[in-house]
Amino acid sequence: MTNRERRDAGLAYIADEDVFAQMLACRRILQKLNFMDRCDITGISETVKELFGKSEGAFVNPPFYCDYGKHIEVGKNFFANYNCTLLDVAKIRIGDNCQMAPNVAIYTAGHPVYPATRDSGYEYGKEVTIGDHVWLGGSTVVCPGVHIGSNVVIGAGSVVTKDIPDWCIAAGNPCRVIRKITDADKRKLFRDEEIDEEAWNNILASVQ
């Protein structure tokens, strides 16, 4: 098997010239994206579509960083805020209507634990999947192989090392489920504050 094939199969691989050529192609697109006029919203959107393997209405606030781009598949209305890093050695699959706050990092890349083995240059990638309607708070880190369900909020500064189920708020290092999200949360804004009447009526009208 080639190293590219080994990488895509989730096996130990070395980033040889063939693999690095793919990363160089990504870096050219990132160079364009990260130095674009920040007011060129259309241009940024088009470049993000060029970068990702799959997207529909995706937008990122530069700067943004990844290894390949084509290994990132996002659903409808994806948004990543400033300084997000998605190390997509393996696939990163993200559902519809997901948001990432500034400094979010998703890592699929890993290295052997034993020093001499790590020094060999072999590494690996393990897929990360995220469901629909997920909000990752600022400076969240998602580690290789993690699966996050749908309708989830991850608190700022969390380090997600294990799977997170649907419909919950989770936070911490390591990240743990704090509680389920219920209908009682529908009008919640910040802590115990509720969405004001005008905005709430607009929200109700938009979902009818």
Side-chain angles (χ1 to χ4, degrees):
M1 297 174 70
T2 66
N3 277 298
R4 185 188 296 196
E5 290 169 338
R6 294 184 63 83
R7 178 202 65 198
D8 294 346
L11 301 173
Y13 78 98
I14 290 177
D16 59 12
E17 290 185 6
D18 181 41
V19 170
F20 196 66
Q22 288 186 305
M23 290 191 281
L24 285 179
C26 175
R27 291 184 183 197
R28 292 187 184 96
I29 301 173
L30 288 175
Q31 180 75 6
K32 179 171 64 172
L33 173 66
N34 288 333
F35 289 90
M36 293 183 76
D37 182 344
R38 298 298 196 263
C39 295
D40 185 3
I41 303 301
T42 300
I44 291 172
S45 297
E46 290 174 350
T47 305
V48 169
K49 189 172 183 178
E50 178 186 0
L51 179 66
F52 288 170
K54 177 187 175 185
S55 67
E56 185 177 337
F59 189 83
V60 304
N61 270 327
F64 177 83
Y65 306 99
C66 62
D67 279 333
Y68 299 93
K70 301 302 182 186
H71 296 168
I72 300 169
E73 297 184 2
V74 301
K76 299 176 183 176
N77 305 317
F78 171 80
F79 174 73
N81 219 325
Y82 305 104
N83 206 42
C84 284
T85 300
L86 275 61
L87 296 187
D88 57 326
V89 169
K91 284 281 189 182
I92 298 175
R93 304 179 194 272
I94 300 172
D96 294 340
N97 301 300
C98 290
Q99 298 174 316
M100 295 183 180
N103 303 308
V104 165
I106 298 176
Y107 304 145
T108 67
H111 303 270
V113 172
Y114 195 79
T117 310
R118 187 166 62 250
D119 292 346
S120 70
Y122 274 94
E123 54 187 298
Y124 64 87
K126 296 300 178 183
E127 181 176 297
V128 168
T129 62
I130 297 173
D132 299 329
H133 306 285
V134 173
W135 173 23
L136 302 184
S139 299
T140 291
V141 174
V142 180
C143 294
V146 164
H147 302 275
I148 297 175
S150 294
N151 308 302
V152 171
V153 175
I154 304 294
S158 297
V159 179
V160 189
T161 60
K162 295 182 179 180
D163 293 356
I164 303 295
D166 296 345
W167 285 100
C168 67
I169 297 172
N173 181 7
C175 187
R176 294 184 175 88
V177 173
I178 296 174
R179 67 174 179 85
K180 298 293 287 184
I181 295 173
T182 70
D183 286 350
D185 294 302
K186 281 186 177 180
R187 198 164 169 172
K188 288 288 179 66
L189 184 65
F190 177 69
R191 296 180 179 168
D192 293 329
E193 181 183 345
E194 290 193 341
I195 297 169
D196 65 274
E197 197 70 27
E198 180 181 0
W200 182 242
N201 288 334
N202 289 335
I203 290 169
L204 291 177
S206 70
V207 298
Q208 289 178 353

